[in-house]
Amino acid sequence: MPQKLELLYEGKGKKMFKTDDENLLITEFKDDLTAFNAEKKGSEAGKGELNCKISTEIFYLLEKEGIKTHLVETISDKEQLVKKCQIIPIEVVVRNVATGSLTKRLGIKEGTILPFSVVEFCYKNDSLGDPIINDEHCLILNLVKSEKELEFIKQIARQINSILVKFFSSKNLRLIDFKLEFGIDSDGNMILADEISPDSCRFWDSKTNEKLDKDRFRQDLGNVKMAYEEVLKRILS
Ligand code: ADP
Ligand code: UDP
């Protein structure tokens, strides 16, 4: 088992540690919660563990379905061993139902089922507030090497969406939208990195449309931890 070494980076939701293998990192999931570009801050004891477990299950499912990911192994309740990669600084958002910034930006009524899944790119840059960008912005900012790479990202994002919509619907959860991050590993392959959890997805109960994700924190709905526990329980059911 690789040795955990010094902290490489502390983000809003996770800490990334170096290991004695230069190609591997250890991700530690934090209990901290942030929203609105970290203007709103909070913490929920046990949230880190729940996200680690949820993200692990989802990454294993995606691997089983042929998606290449950074996950090597989950090594404790809140730590994963992952392949180190050069993160592509694009937040890839996939939307099935209108909510959040899409309703604000375009005036589409909350809860509208979109005629097809929409893939959006945001520039991963906290000081700019992660602005939405188009394909050409990605190219002029050199965030990707080529248009082909962008098309590949969109194609994998849609494939992940199909797998996850089907999976969550079997667990009585509607996958409303979610954010993905991709990176290039030491072999030059594009792989899915970061996490997939109620911090980065929106899940609504299939029958009641109850929100079971970070919107409970964003909108002060209460029972944040209970919602994340419910998502994990359903995933494992
Ligand atoms: P943020 O940086 O947005 O506050 P986090 O708190 O989730 O986000 O921090 C985790 C950081 O580690 C993110 O910047 C993410 O892009 C990066 N990251 C995720 N997976 C990997 C990986 N396999 N290799 C290198 N960096 C990664
Ligand atoms: N999202 C994320 N990180 C971000 C921005 C968005 O994980 O920095 C996720 C968010 O949880 C949601 C989806 O991406 O599942 C779409 O988010 P939206 O743009 O509606 O975000 P909002 O502005 O409402 O936070």
PDB file of all heavy atoms in Angstrom, residues 8-16 25 27-28 30 34 70-71 82-88 91 124 126 130 179 181-183 191-195, ligand 1:
ATOM      1  N   LEU A   8      -0.846  17.855  -0.772  1.00  0.00           N
ATOM      2  CA  LEU A   8      -0.503  18.495  -2.036  1.00  0.00           C
ATOM      3  C   LEU A   8      -1.404  19.701  -2.261  1.00  0.00           C
ATOM      4  O   LEU A   8      -0.983  20.754  -2.725  1.00  0.00           O
ATOM      5  CB  LEU A   8      -0.691  17.473  -3.162  1.00  0.00           C
ATOM      6  CG  LEU A   8      -0.481  17.920  -4.591  1.00  0.00           C
ATOM      7  CD1 LEU A   8       0.987  18.265  -4.829  1.00  0.00           C
ATOM      8  CD2 LEU A   8      -0.910  16.814  -5.563  1.00  0.00           C
ATOM      9  N   TYR A   9      -2.698  19.516  -1.896  1.00  0.00           N
ATOM     10  CA  TYR A   9      -3.698  20.564  -2.195  1.00  0.00           C
ATOM     11  C   TYR A   9      -4.885  20.367  -1.273  1.00  0.00           C
ATOM     12  O   TYR A   9      -5.328  19.244  -1.074  1.00  0.00           O
ATOM     13  CB  TYR A   9      -4.134  20.421  -3.658  1.00  0.00           C
ATOM     14  CG  TYR A   9      -5.286  21.309  -4.060  1.00  0.00           C
ATOM     15  CD1 TYR A   9      -5.080  22.653  -4.360  1.00  0.00           C
ATOM     16  CD2 TYR A   9      -6.591  20.804  -4.144  1.00  0.00           C
ATOM     17  CE1 TYR A   9      -6.147  23.475  -4.719  1.00  0.00           C
ATOM     18  CE2 TYR A   9      -7.660  21.620  -4.509  1.00  0.00           C
ATOM     19  CZ  TYR A   9      -7.427  22.950  -4.802  1.00  0.00           C
ATOM     20  OH  TYR A   9      -8.480  23.755  -5.163  1.00  0.00           O
ATOM     21  N   GLU A  10      -5.366  21.455  -0.694  1.00  0.00           N
ATOM     22  CA  GLU A  10      -6.622  21.367   0.054  1.00  0.00           C
ATOM     23  C   GLU A  10      -7.683  22.174  -0.669  1.00  0.00           C
ATOM     24  O   GLU A  10      -7.562  23.393  -0.837  1.00  0.00           O
ATOM     25  CB  GLU A  10      -6.461  21.870   1.499  1.00  0.00           C
ATOM     26  CG  GLU A  10      -7.818  21.854   2.210  1.00  0.00           C
ATOM     27  CD  GLU A  10      -7.758  21.867   3.719  1.00  0.00           C
ATOM     28  OE1 GLU A  10      -6.644  21.972   4.296  1.00  0.00           O
ATOM     29  OE2 GLU A  10      -8.851  21.768   4.328  1.00  0.00           O
ATOM     30  N   GLY A  11      -8.723  21.497  -1.121  1.00  0.00           N
ATOM     31  CA  GLY A  11      -9.810  22.167  -1.822  1.00  0.00           C
ATOM     32  C   GLY A  11     -10.984  22.395  -0.882  1.00  0.00           C
ATOM     33  O   GLY A  11     -10.860  22.245   0.331  1.00  0.00           O
ATOM     34  N   LYS A  12     -12.126  22.729  -1.482  1.00  0.00           N
ATOM     35  CA  LYS A  12     -13.292  23.036  -0.663  1.00  0.00           C
ATOM     36  C   LYS A  12     -13.915  21.763  -0.078  1.00  0.00           C
ATOM     37  O   LYS A  12     -14.443  21.802   1.019  1.00  0.00           O
ATOM     38  CB  LYS A  12     -14.327  23.792  -1.509  1.00  0.00           C
ATOM     39  CG  LYS A  12     -13.781  25.140  -2.019  1.00  0.00           C
ATOM     40  CD  LYS A  12     -14.804  25.921  -2.814  1.00  0.00           C
ATOM     41  CE  LYS A  12     -15.099  25.347  -4.187  1.00  0.00           C
ATOM     42  NZ  LYS A  12     -14.011  25.416  -5.160  1.00  0.00           N
ATOM     43  N   GLY A  13     -13.805  20.673  -0.813  1.00  0.00           N
ATOM     44  CA  GLY A  13     -14.453  19.439  -0.359  1.00  0.00           C
ATOM     45  C   GLY A  13     -13.526  18.269  -0.106  1.00  0.00           C
ATOM     46  O   GLY A  13     -13.950  17.241   0.437  1.00  0.00           O
ATOM     47  N   LYS A  14     -12.280  18.409  -0.556  1.00  0.00           N
ATOM     48  CA  LYS A  14     -11.354  17.285  -0.398  1.00  0.00           C
ATOM     49  C   LYS A  14      -9.926  17.785  -0.164  1.00  0.00           C
ATOM     50  O   LYS A  14      -9.592  18.908  -0.541  1.00  0.00           O
ATOM     51  CB  LYS A  14     -11.372  16.402  -1.669  1.00  0.00           C
ATOM     52  CG  LYS A  14     -12.719  15.766  -1.947  1.00  0.00           C
ATOM     53  CD  LYS A  14     -12.684  14.794  -3.102  1.00  0.00           C
ATOM     54  CE  LYS A  14     -12.527  15.384  -4.472  1.00  0.00           C
ATOM     55  NZ  LYS A  14     -13.593  16.289  -4.909  1.00  0.00           N
ATOM     56  N   LYS A  15      -9.112  16.886   0.446  1.00  0.00           N
ATOM     57  CA  LYS A  15      -7.672  17.143   0.528  1.00  0.00           C
ATOM     58  C   LYS A  15      -6.987  16.104  -0.354  1.00  0.00           C
ATOM     59  O   LYS A  15      -7.396  14.937  -0.357  1.00  0.00           O
ATOM     60  CB  LYS A  15      -7.172  16.958   1.961  1.00  0.00           C
ATOM     61  CG  LYS A  15      -7.666  18.002   2.939  1.00  0.00           C
ATOM     62  CD  LYS A  15      -7.096  17.705   4.314  1.00  0.00           C
ATOM     63  CE  LYS A  15      -7.650  18.665   5.344  1.00  0.00           C
ATOM     64  NZ  LYS A  15      -7.283  18.288   6.717  1.00  0.00           N
ATOM     65  N   MET A  16      -5.959  16.530  -1.081  1.00  0.00           N
ATOM     66  CA  MET A  16      -5.218  15.607  -1.932  1.00  0.00           C
ATOM     67  C   MET A  16      -3.807  15.468  -1.350  1.00  0.00           C
ATOM     68  O   MET A  16      -3.119  16.475  -1.147  1.00  0.00           O
ATOM     69  CB  MET A  16      -5.122  16.142  -3.361  1.00  0.00           C
ATOM     70  CG  MET A  16      -6.454  16.559  -3.995  1.00  0.00           C
ATOM     71  SD  MET A  16      -7.665  15.234  -4.137  1.00  0.00           S
ATOM     72  CE  MET A  16      -6.954  14.231  -5.418  1.00  0.00           C
ATOM     73  N   LEU A  25      -2.190   9.432  -5.845  1.00  0.00           N
ATOM     74  CA  LEU A  25      -2.528  10.397  -4.784  1.00  0.00           C
ATOM     75  C   LEU A  25      -3.527   9.743  -3.841  1.00  0.00           C
ATOM     76  O   LEU A  25      -4.194   8.776  -4.201  1.00  0.00           O
ATOM     77  CB  LEU A  25      -3.193  11.639  -5.383  1.00  0.00           C
ATOM     78  CG  LEU A  25      -2.411  12.498  -6.372  1.00  0.00           C
ATOM     79  CD1 LEU A  25      -3.310  13.634  -6.883  1.00  0.00           C
ATOM     80  CD2 LEU A  25      -1.146  13.073  -5.727  1.00  0.00           C
ATOM     81  N   THR A  27      -6.938  10.781  -1.854  1.00  0.00           N
ATOM     82  CA  THR A  27      -8.005  11.786  -1.705  1.00  0.00           C
ATOM     83  C   THR A  27      -8.640  11.589  -0.344  1.00  0.00           C
ATOM     84  O   THR A  27      -9.035  10.470  -0.008  1.00  0.00           O
ATOM     85  CB  THR A  27      -9.113  11.536  -2.755  1.00  0.00           C
ATOM     86  OG1 THR A  27      -8.543  11.565  -4.046  1.00  0.00           O
ATOM     87  CG2 THR A  27     -10.211  12.555  -2.668  1.00  0.00           C
ATOM     88  N   GLU A  28      -8.757  12.659   0.433  1.00  0.00           N
ATOM     89  CA  GLU A  28      -9.483  12.578   1.709  1.00  0.00           C
ATOM     90  C   GLU A  28     -10.721  13.470   1.600  1.00  0.00           C
ATOM     91  O   GLU A  28     -10.607  14.670   1.332  1.00  0.00           O
ATOM     92  CB  GLU A  28      -8.565  13.048   2.841  1.00  0.00           C
ATOM     93  CG  GLU A  28      -9.141  12.800   4.216  1.00  0.00           C
ATOM     94  CD  GLU A  28      -8.225  13.366   5.300  1.00  0.00           C
ATOM     95  OE1 GLU A  28      -7.056  12.929   5.396  1.00  0.00           O
ATOM     96  OE2 GLU A  28      -8.689  14.246   6.036  1.00  0.00           O
ATOM     97  N   LYS A  30     -13.714  15.661   2.850  1.00  0.00           N
ATOM     98  CA  LYS A  30     -13.921  16.505   4.032  1.00  0.00           C
ATOM     99  C   LYS A  30     -15.421  16.630   4.371  1.00  0.00           C
ATOM    100  O   LYS A  30     -16.271  16.435   3.510  1.00  0.00           O
ATOM    101  CB  LYS A  30     -13.375  17.920   3.770  1.00  0.00           C
ATOM    102  CG  LYS A  30     -11.921  17.961   3.321  1.00  0.00           C
ATOM    103  CD  LYS A  30     -11.266  19.309   3.571  1.00  0.00           C
ATOM    104  CE  LYS A  30     -11.940  20.471   2.928  1.00  0.00           C
ATOM    105  NZ  LYS A  30     -11.204  21.738   3.143  1.00  0.00           N
ATOM    106  N   THR A  34     -19.616  23.837   0.866  1.00  0.00           N
ATOM    107  CA  THR A  34     -19.593  25.238   0.410  1.00  0.00           C
ATOM    108  C   THR A  34     -20.598  25.372  -0.736  1.00  0.00           C
ATOM    109  O   THR A  34     -20.933  24.387  -1.400  1.00  0.00           O
ATOM    110  CB  THR A  34     -18.209  25.684  -0.116  1.00  0.00           C
ATOM    111  OG1 THR A  34     -17.870  24.894  -1.246  1.00  0.00           O
ATOM    112  CG2 THR A  34     -17.126  25.552   0.942  1.00  0.00           C
ATOM    113  N   HIS A  70     -10.101   7.444 -12.372  1.00  0.00           N
ATOM    114  CA  HIS A  70      -8.860   7.554 -11.583  1.00  0.00           C
ATOM    115  C   HIS A  70      -8.849   6.640 -10.361  1.00  0.00           C
ATOM    116  O   HIS A  70      -7.809   6.491  -9.724  1.00  0.00           O
ATOM    117  CB  HIS A  70      -8.630   9.020 -11.163  1.00  0.00           C
ATOM    118  CG  HIS A  70      -9.546   9.523 -10.093  1.00  0.00           C
ATOM    119  ND1 HIS A  70      -9.277  10.660  -9.360  1.00  0.00           N
ATOM    120  CD2 HIS A  70     -10.734   9.053  -9.613  1.00  0.00           C
ATOM    121  CE1 HIS A  70     -10.246  10.871  -8.488  1.00  0.00           C
ATOM    122  NE2 HIS A  70     -11.133   9.921  -8.618  1.00  0.00           N
ATOM    123  N   LEU A  71      -9.986   6.015 -10.058  1.00  0.00           N
ATOM    124  CA  LEU A  71     -10.063   5.274  -8.787  1.00  0.00           C
ATOM    125  C   LEU A  71      -9.265   3.971  -8.845  1.00  0.00           C
ATOM    126  O   LEU A  71      -9.497   3.122  -9.703  1.00  0.00           O
ATOM    127  CB  LEU A  71     -11.533   4.967  -8.446  1.00  0.00           C
ATOM    128  CG  LEU A  71     -11.753   4.251  -7.110  1.00  0.00           C
ATOM    129  CD1 LEU A  71     -11.222   5.054  -5.939  1.00  0.00           C
ATOM    130  CD2 LEU A  71     -13.232   3.947  -6.906  1.00  0.00           C
ATOM    131  N   VAL A  82      -5.983   7.184  -5.710  1.00  0.00           N
ATOM    132  CA  VAL A  82      -6.369   7.510  -7.090  1.00  0.00           C
ATOM    133  C   VAL A  82      -5.133   7.732  -7.959  1.00  0.00           C
ATOM    134  O   VAL A  82      -4.054   8.052  -7.448  1.00  0.00           O
ATOM    135  CB  VAL A  82      -7.275   8.774  -7.155  1.00  0.00           C
ATOM    136  CG1 VAL A  82      -8.552   8.579  -6.343  1.00  0.00           C
ATOM    137  CG2 VAL A  82      -6.547  10.039  -6.715  1.00  0.00           C
ATOM    138  N   LYS A  83      -5.334   7.554  -9.263  1.00  0.00           N
ATOM    139  CA  LYS A  83      -4.255   7.868 -10.215  1.00  0.00           C
ATOM    140  C   LYS A  83      -4.125   9.375 -10.301  1.00  0.00           C
ATOM    141  O   LYS A  83      -5.134  10.075 -10.496  1.00  0.00           O
ATOM    142  CB  LYS A  83      -4.611   7.336 -11.605  1.00  0.00           C
ATOM    143  CG  LYS A  83      -4.492   5.861 -11.739  1.00  0.00           C
ATOM    144  CD  LYS A  83      -4.760   5.496 -13.208  1.00  0.00           C
ATOM    145  CE  LYS A  83      -5.052   4.023 -13.322  1.00  0.00           C
ATOM    146  NZ  LYS A  83      -5.806   3.672 -14.512  1.00  0.00           N
ATOM    147  N   LYS A  84      -2.908   9.866 -10.152  1.00  0.00           N
ATOM    148  CA  LYS A  84      -2.686  11.301 -10.285  1.00  0.00           C
ATOM    149  C   LYS A  84      -2.898  11.690 -11.742  1.00  0.00           C
ATOM    150  O   LYS A  84      -2.433  10.998 -12.644  1.00  0.00           O
ATOM    151  CB  LYS A  84      -1.253  11.631  -9.860  1.00  0.00           C
ATOM    152  CG  LYS A  84      -0.942  13.094  -9.923  1.00  0.00           C
ATOM    153  CD  LYS A  84       0.474  13.340  -9.464  1.00  0.00           C
ATOM    154  CE  LYS A  84       0.792  14.817  -9.523  1.00  0.00           C
ATOM    155  NZ  LYS A  84       2.110  15.120  -9.013  1.00  0.00           N
ATOM    156  N   CYS A  85      -3.615  12.770 -11.962  1.00  0.00           N
ATOM    157  CA  CYS A  85      -3.707  13.209 -13.349  1.00  0.00           C
ATOM    158  C   CYS A  85      -3.652  14.716 -13.471  1.00  0.00           C
ATOM    159  O   CYS A  85      -3.776  15.433 -12.493  1.00  0.00           O
ATOM    160  CB  CYS A  85      -4.910  12.597 -14.062  1.00  0.00           C
ATOM    161  SG  CYS A  85      -6.449  12.852 -13.267  1.00  0.00           S
ATOM    162  N   GLN A  86      -3.425  15.139 -14.691  1.00  0.00           N
ATOM    163  CA  GLN A  86      -3.421  16.568 -15.031  1.00  0.00           C
ATOM    164  C   GLN A  86      -4.884  16.920 -15.285  1.00  0.00           C
ATOM    165  O   GLN A  86      -5.443  16.516 -16.311  1.00  0.00           O
ATOM    166  CB  GLN A  86      -2.576  16.725 -16.313  1.00  0.00           C
ATOM    167  CG  GLN A  86      -2.127  18.125 -16.628  1.00  0.00           C
ATOM    168  CD  GLN A  86      -1.065  18.592 -15.631  1.00  0.00           C
ATOM    169  OE1 GLN A  86      -0.138  17.851 -15.332  1.00  0.00           O
ATOM    170  NE2 GLN A  86      -1.234  19.809 -15.119  1.00  0.00           N
ATOM    171  N   ILE A  87      -5.468  17.615 -14.325  1.00  0.00           N
ATOM    172  CA  ILE A  87      -6.903  17.906 -14.454  1.00  0.00           C
ATOM    173  C   ILE A  87      -7.144  18.890 -15.599  1.00  0.00           C
ATOM    174  O   ILE A  87      -6.456  19.911 -15.707  1.00  0.00           O
ATOM    175  CB  ILE A  87      -7.459  18.484 -13.134  1.00  0.00           C
ATOM    176  CG1 ILE A  87      -7.443  17.430 -12.011  1.00  0.00           C
ATOM    177  CG2 ILE A  87      -8.879  19.042 -13.315  1.00  0.00           C
ATOM    178  CD1 ILE A  87      -8.449  16.300 -12.158  1.00  0.00           C
ATOM    179  N   ILE A  88      -8.099  18.566 -16.458  1.00  0.00           N
ATOM    180  CA  ILE A  88      -8.529  19.509 -17.499  1.00  0.00           C
ATOM    181  C   ILE A  88      -9.436  20.526 -16.789  1.00  0.00           C
ATOM    182  O   ILE A  88     -10.438  20.120 -16.185  1.00  0.00           O
ATOM    183  CB  ILE A  88      -9.293  18.759 -18.622  1.00  0.00           C
ATOM    184  CG1 ILE A  88      -8.342  17.758 -19.301  1.00  0.00           C
ATOM    185  CG2 ILE A  88      -9.907  19.733 -19.617  1.00  0.00           C
ATOM    186  CD1 ILE A  88      -9.008  16.807 -20.265  1.00  0.00           C
ATOM    187  N   GLU A  91     -15.296  22.220 -15.874  1.00  0.00           N
ATOM    188  CA  GLU A  91     -16.351  21.495 -15.163  1.00  0.00           C
ATOM    189  C   GLU A  91     -17.378  21.108 -16.215  1.00  0.00           C
ATOM    190  O   GLU A  91     -17.970  21.982 -16.864  1.00  0.00           O
ATOM    191  CB  GLU A  91     -16.971  22.375 -14.088  1.00  0.00           C
ATOM    192  CG  GLU A  91     -15.932  22.787 -13.059  1.00  0.00           C
ATOM    193  CD  GLU A  91     -16.509  23.220 -11.726  1.00  0.00           C
ATOM    194  OE1 GLU A  91     -17.641  23.747 -11.723  1.00  0.00           O
ATOM    195  OE2 GLU A  91     -15.823  23.026 -10.716  1.00  0.00           O
ATOM    196  N   LYS A 124     -13.026  26.026 -14.905  1.00  0.00           N
ATOM    197  CA  LYS A 124     -12.746  25.759 -13.488  1.00  0.00           C
ATOM    198  C   LYS A 124     -11.738  26.792 -12.988  1.00  0.00           C
ATOM    199  O   LYS A 124     -10.531  26.601 -13.086  1.00  0.00           O
ATOM    200  CB  LYS A 124     -12.195  24.329 -13.374  1.00  0.00           C
ATOM    201  CG  LYS A 124     -12.174  23.771 -11.968  1.00  0.00           C
ATOM    202  CD  LYS A 124     -11.788  22.304 -12.005  1.00  0.00           C
ATOM    203  CE  LYS A 124     -11.025  21.873 -10.780  1.00  0.00           C
ATOM    204  NZ  LYS A 124     -11.670  22.124  -9.518  1.00  0.00           N
ATOM    205  N   ASP A 126     -11.858  29.523  -9.743  1.00  0.00           N
ATOM    206  CA  ASP A 126     -12.607  30.109  -8.627  1.00  0.00           C
ATOM    207  C   ASP A 126     -12.595  31.636  -8.663  1.00  0.00           C
ATOM    208  O   ASP A 126     -13.614  32.268  -8.367  1.00  0.00           O
ATOM    209  CB  ASP A 126     -12.035  29.622  -7.280  1.00  0.00           C
ATOM    210  CG  ASP A 126     -12.515  28.208  -6.942  1.00  0.00           C
ATOM    211  OD1 ASP A 126     -13.519  27.768  -7.540  1.00  0.00           O
ATOM    212  OD2 ASP A 126     -11.882  27.556  -6.091  1.00  0.00           O
ATOM    213  N   ASP A 130     -16.016  30.362 -11.884  1.00  0.00           N
ATOM    214  CA  ASP A 130     -16.347  29.222 -12.765  1.00  0.00           C
ATOM    215  C   ASP A 130     -17.338  29.604 -13.878  1.00  0.00           C
ATOM    216  O   ASP A 130     -18.430  29.032 -13.971  1.00  0.00           O
ATOM    217  CB  ASP A 130     -16.944  28.049 -11.952  1.00  0.00           C
ATOM    218  CG  ASP A 130     -15.964  27.469 -10.945  1.00  0.00           C
ATOM    219  OD1 ASP A 130     -14.750  27.709 -11.073  1.00  0.00           O
ATOM    220  OD2 ASP A 130     -16.426  26.766 -10.024  1.00  0.00           O
ATOM    221  N   LYS A 179     -21.968  17.250 -12.233  1.00  0.00           N
ATOM    222  CA  LYS A 179     -20.720  17.833 -12.742  1.00  0.00           C
ATOM    223  C   LYS A 179     -19.630  16.768 -12.765  1.00  0.00           C
ATOM    224  O   LYS A 179     -19.502  15.981 -11.828  1.00  0.00           O
ATOM    225  CB  LYS A 179     -20.308  18.982 -11.804  1.00  0.00           C
ATOM    226  CG  LYS A 179     -19.078  19.744 -12.196  1.00  0.00           C
ATOM    227  CD  LYS A 179     -17.789  19.294 -11.521  1.00  0.00           C
ATOM    228  CE  LYS A 179     -17.770  19.316 -10.042  1.00  0.00           C
ATOM    229  NZ  LYS A 179     -16.504  18.784  -9.481  1.00  0.00           N
ATOM    230  N   GLU A 181     -15.354  15.916 -13.800  1.00  0.00           N
ATOM    231  CA  GLU A 181     -14.024  16.448 -14.144  1.00  0.00           C
ATOM    232  C   GLU A 181     -13.213  15.326 -14.773  1.00  0.00           C
ATOM    233  O   GLU A 181     -13.274  14.180 -14.315  1.00  0.00           O
ATOM    234  CB  GLU A 181     -13.298  16.954 -12.879  1.00  0.00           C
ATOM    235  CG  GLU A 181     -13.924  18.221 -12.343  1.00  0.00           C
ATOM    236  CD  GLU A 181     -13.157  18.800 -11.158  1.00  0.00           C
ATOM    237  OE1 GLU A 181     -11.923  18.594 -11.060  1.00  0.00           O
ATOM    238  OE2 GLU A 181     -13.811  19.448 -10.338  1.00  0.00           O
ATOM    239  N   PHE A 182     -12.469  15.683 -15.801  1.00  0.00           N
ATOM    240  CA  PHE A 182     -11.611  14.709 -16.474  1.00  0.00           C
ATOM    241  C   PHE A 182     -10.168  15.143 -16.337  1.00  0.00           C
ATOM    242  O   PHE A 182      -9.867  16.322 -16.119  1.00  0.00           O
ATOM    243  CB  PHE A 182     -11.978  14.604 -17.963  1.00  0.00           C
ATOM    244  CG  PHE A 182     -13.353  14.033 -18.194  1.00  0.00           C
ATOM    245  CD1 PHE A 182     -14.465  14.863 -18.290  1.00  0.00           C
ATOM    246  CD2 PHE A 182     -13.531  12.660 -18.283  1.00  0.00           C
ATOM    247  CE1 PHE A 182     -15.738  14.344 -18.482  1.00  0.00           C
ATOM    248  CE2 PHE A 182     -14.812  12.123 -18.474  1.00  0.00           C
ATOM    249  CZ  PHE A 182     -15.912  12.977 -18.578  1.00  0.00           C
ATOM    250  N   GLY A 183      -9.253  14.166 -16.459  1.00  0.00           N
ATOM    251  CA  GLY A 183      -7.836  14.477 -16.399  1.00  0.00           C
ATOM    252  C   GLY A 183      -7.068  13.545 -17.316  1.00  0.00           C
ATOM    253  O   GLY A 183      -7.613  12.556 -17.829  1.00  0.00           O
ATOM    254  N   ILE A 191      -9.098  10.266 -18.373  1.00  0.00           N
ATOM    255  CA  ILE A 191      -9.863   9.451 -17.424  1.00  0.00           C
ATOM    256  C   ILE A 191     -10.793  10.354 -16.609  1.00  0.00           C
ATOM    257  O   ILE A 191     -10.541  11.549 -16.458  1.00  0.00           O
ATOM    258  CB  ILE A 191      -8.933   8.627 -16.477  1.00  0.00           C
ATOM    259  CG1 ILE A 191      -7.993   9.529 -15.659  1.00  0.00           C
ATOM    260  CG2 ILE A 191      -8.135   7.599 -17.260  1.00  0.00           C
ATOM    261  CD1 ILE A 191      -7.168   8.757 -14.623  1.00  0.00           C
ATOM    262  N   LEU A 192     -11.828   9.741 -16.069  1.00  0.00           N
ATOM    263  CA  LEU A 192     -12.750  10.473 -15.193  1.00  0.00           C
ATOM    264  C   LEU A 192     -12.067  10.635 -13.832  1.00  0.00           C
ATOM    265  O   LEU A 192     -11.574   9.656 -13.262  1.00  0.00           O
ATOM    266  CB  LEU A 192     -14.053   9.672 -15.045  1.00  0.00           C
ATOM    267  CG  LEU A 192     -15.093  10.291 -14.112  1.00  0.00           C
ATOM    268  CD1 LEU A 192     -15.670  11.579 -14.708  1.00  0.00           C
ATOM    269  CD2 LEU A 192     -16.220   9.293 -13.824  1.00  0.00           C
ATOM    270  N   ALA A 193     -12.042  11.859 -13.307  1.00  0.00           N
ATOM    271  CA  ALA A 193     -11.372  12.104 -12.017  1.00  0.00           C
ATOM    272  C   ALA A 193     -12.370  12.676 -11.013  1.00  0.00           C
ATOM    273  O   ALA A 193     -13.583  12.572 -11.182  1.00  0.00           O
ATOM    274  CB  ALA A 193     -10.196  13.045 -12.242  1.00  0.00           C
ATOM    275  N   ASP A 194     -11.855  13.231  -9.953  1.00  0.00           N
ATOM    276  CA  ASP A 194     -12.619  13.915  -8.906  1.00  0.00           C
ATOM    277  C   ASP A 194     -13.646  12.990  -8.249  1.00  0.00           C
ATOM    278  O   ASP A 194     -13.286  11.915  -7.806  1.00  0.00           O
ATOM    279  CB  ASP A 194     -13.240  15.203  -9.464  1.00  0.00           C
ATOM    280  CG  ASP A 194     -13.442  16.236  -8.361  1.00  0.00           C
ATOM    281  OD1 ASP A 194     -12.473  16.522  -7.636  1.00  0.00           O
ATOM    282  OD2 ASP A 194     -14.561  16.726  -8.190  1.00  0.00           O
ATOM    283  N   GLU A 195     -14.901  13.420  -8.133  1.00  0.00           N
ATOM    284  CA  GLU A 195     -15.895  12.627  -7.410  1.00  0.00           C
ATOM    285  C   GLU A 195     -17.254  12.744  -8.088  1.00  0.00           C
ATOM    286  O   GLU A 195     -17.484  13.661  -8.870  1.00  0.00           O
ATOM    287  CB  GLU A 195     -16.025  13.147  -5.963  1.00  0.00           C
ATOM    288  CG  GLU A 195     -16.643  14.531  -5.862  1.00  0.00           C
ATOM    289  CD  GLU A 195     -16.836  15.020  -4.418  1.00  0.00           C
ATOM    290  OE1 GLU A 195     -17.718  14.473  -3.717  1.00  0.00           O
ATOM    291  OE2 GLU A 195     -16.113  15.947  -4.019  1.00  0.00           O
TER     292      GLU A 195
HETATM  293  P1  ADP B   1     -11.961  22.439  -5.382  1.00  0.00           P
HETATM  294  O1  ADP B   1     -10.568  22.504  -5.908  1.00  0.00           O
HETATM  295  O2  ADP B   1     -12.969  22.819  -6.451  1.00  0.00           O
HETATM  296  O3  ADP B   1     -12.172  23.157  -4.100  1.00  0.00           O
HETATM  297  P2  ADP B   1     -11.985  19.755  -4.119  1.00  0.00           P
HETATM  298  O4  ADP B   1     -12.047  20.227  -2.724  1.00  0.00           O
HETATM  299  O5  ADP B   1     -12.873  18.637  -4.525  1.00  0.00           O
HETATM  300  O6  ADP B   1     -12.295  20.895  -5.191  1.00  0.00           O
HETATM  301  O7  ADP B   1     -10.476  19.391  -4.362  1.00  0.00           O
HETATM  302  C1  ADP B   1     -10.023  18.337  -5.077  1.00  0.00           C
HETATM  303  C2  ADP B   1      -9.109  18.842  -6.175  1.00  0.00           C
HETATM  304  O8  ADP B   1      -8.338  17.781  -6.679  1.00  0.00           O
HETATM  305  C3  ADP B   1      -9.880  19.452  -7.333  1.00  0.00           C
HETATM  306  O9  ADP B   1      -9.257  20.656  -7.744  1.00  0.00           O
HETATM  307  C4  ADP B   1      -9.791  18.382  -8.419  1.00  0.00           C
HETATM  308  O10 ADP B   1      -9.767  18.949  -9.717  1.00  0.00           O
HETATM  309  C5  ADP B   1      -8.469  17.715  -8.084  1.00  0.00           C
HETATM  310  N1  ADP B   1      -8.413  16.306  -8.459  1.00  0.00           N
HETATM  311  C6  ADP B   1      -9.419  15.385  -8.427  1.00  0.00           C
HETATM  312  N2  ADP B   1      -8.989  14.180  -8.820  1.00  0.00           N
HETATM  313  C7  ADP B   1      -7.666  14.313  -9.133  1.00  0.00           C
HETATM  314  C8  ADP B   1      -6.662  13.438  -9.622  1.00  0.00           C
HETATM  315  N3  ADP B   1      -6.927  12.153  -9.866  1.00  0.00           N
HETATM  316  N4  ADP B   1      -5.414  13.932  -9.851  1.00  0.00           N
HETATM  317  C9  ADP B   1      -5.135  15.248  -9.608  1.00  0.00           C
HETATM  318  N5  ADP B   1      -6.042  16.126  -9.134  1.00  0.00           N
HETATM  319  C10 ADP B   1      -7.299  15.679  -8.900  1.00  0.00           C
END
